[in-house]
Amino acid sequence: HKSDTMFAVRSVRHAAPIASLLRQRTMAQSAAMVHTEAHMKEIGITLPDYQDAVWSYVKAQRDGDKFYIGDHVGQDENAVTVRGKVGEEGMVGAEVSPEEAELLARNAGLRLLSTLSHYLDGDLDRVDQVVKVVGIVNGTPDFRGHGKVINGCSDVLVEVLGDRGRHARTCTGSGSLPAAVTCEMVVRVKD
């Protein structure tokens, strides 16, 4: 029938602009997404394997839209915890240089991201904002470079997440720790 053909032609004419609008909207949404894992690959960052908790605690706890991620100690490239006092060369008791400790804090930051990725089923695009980082340095009594050490963690969070990785921060020293450096963070996520 001629009327059926006319209806089909009109339907196709109206469907084409709608499909085009939907395509444009989908493309705009895709462009707005961060695609964190692809970005990490582009900048040469690989997250270490997730390490589960070893005692009677969990690595992260969700409360509403926030994840509280417990401390992650600084480990070397072989996933071995580096222990010792952080201090400048010549400081009594110094076993780990500030530069080594900064790298350990960076590795702790990568481990924090690995844990977060595990809890987010591998989708770091769900990170809305890193709210706070706490970094603790096992420093010699006269060490004062805590902030520079914890920059290792802060910097890698911004490298990976961009502005979503910027955070408030507390850096402190400790008289003793099971590692040279430890970091923890609070992160707001999207569902």
Side-chain angles (χ1 to χ4, degrees):
H1 287 250
K2 192 173 188 176
S3 64
D4 288 340
T5 305
M6 291 295 288
F7 175 75
V9 168
R10 262 185 279 162
S11 295
V12 168
R13 261 191 241 139
H14 291 300
I18 291 170
S20 175
L21 285 173
L22 287 174
R23 255 192 323 277
Q24 289 172 3
R25 186 171 146 200
T26 302
M27 287 170 45
Q29 286 171 338
S30 294
M33 292 185 74
V34 176
H35 300 295
T36 307
E37 289 75 13
H39 171 67
M40 285 190 307
K41 189 174 182 177
E42 285 174 13
I43 62 174
I45 291 180
T46 303
L47 295 180
D49 292 336
Y50 168 73
Q51 297 173 346
D52 207 355
V54 293
W55 305 110
S56 58
Y57 63 94
V58 293
K59 291 293 228 179
Q61 187 68 51
R62 186 168 185 170
D63 183 20
D65 65 349
K66 295 194 183 56
F67 269 101
Y68 294 82
I69 303 177
D71 68 321
H72 284 55
V73 298
Q75 296 181 337
D76 66 15
E77 59 280 349
N78 297 314
V80 174
T81 299
V82 176
R83 303 179 194 290
K85 290 285 190 184
V86 178
E88 299 289 344
E89 188 178 333
M91 286 183 171
V92 176
E95 303 163 280
V96 178
S97 75
E99 295 77 21
E100 292 168 323
E102 187 175 356
L103 181 59
L104 293 171
R106 178 183 177 83
N107 290 346
L110 291 170
R111 292 183 56 235
L112 286 166
L113 287 168
S114 175
T115 295
L116 184 58
S117 178
H118 171 80
Y119 278 83
L120 295 177
D121 299 320
D123 186 5
L124 289 175
D125 285 346
R126 290 179 52 201
V127 172
D128 185 49
Q129 189 67 52
V130 176
V131 177
K132 180 153 188 187
V133 167
V134 175
I136 305 171
V137 179
N138 187 14
T140 59
D142 49 355
F143 182 67
R144 302 287 180 264
H146 306 85
K148 181 159 178 20
V149 167
I150 302 305
N151 281 347
C153 180
S154 295
D155 291 348
V156 78
L157 294 175
V158 173
E159 283 176 49
V160 170
L161 299 170
D163 284 340
R164 298 176 302 140
R166 295 193 187 284
H167 52 270
R169 187 175 83 173
T170 300
C171 302
T172 63
S174 174
S176 68
L177 278 175
V181 177
T182 186
C183 299
E184 60 185 61
M185 69 179 179
V186 178
V187 180
R188 186 174 58 241
V189 297
K190 304 176 277 192
D191 282 325

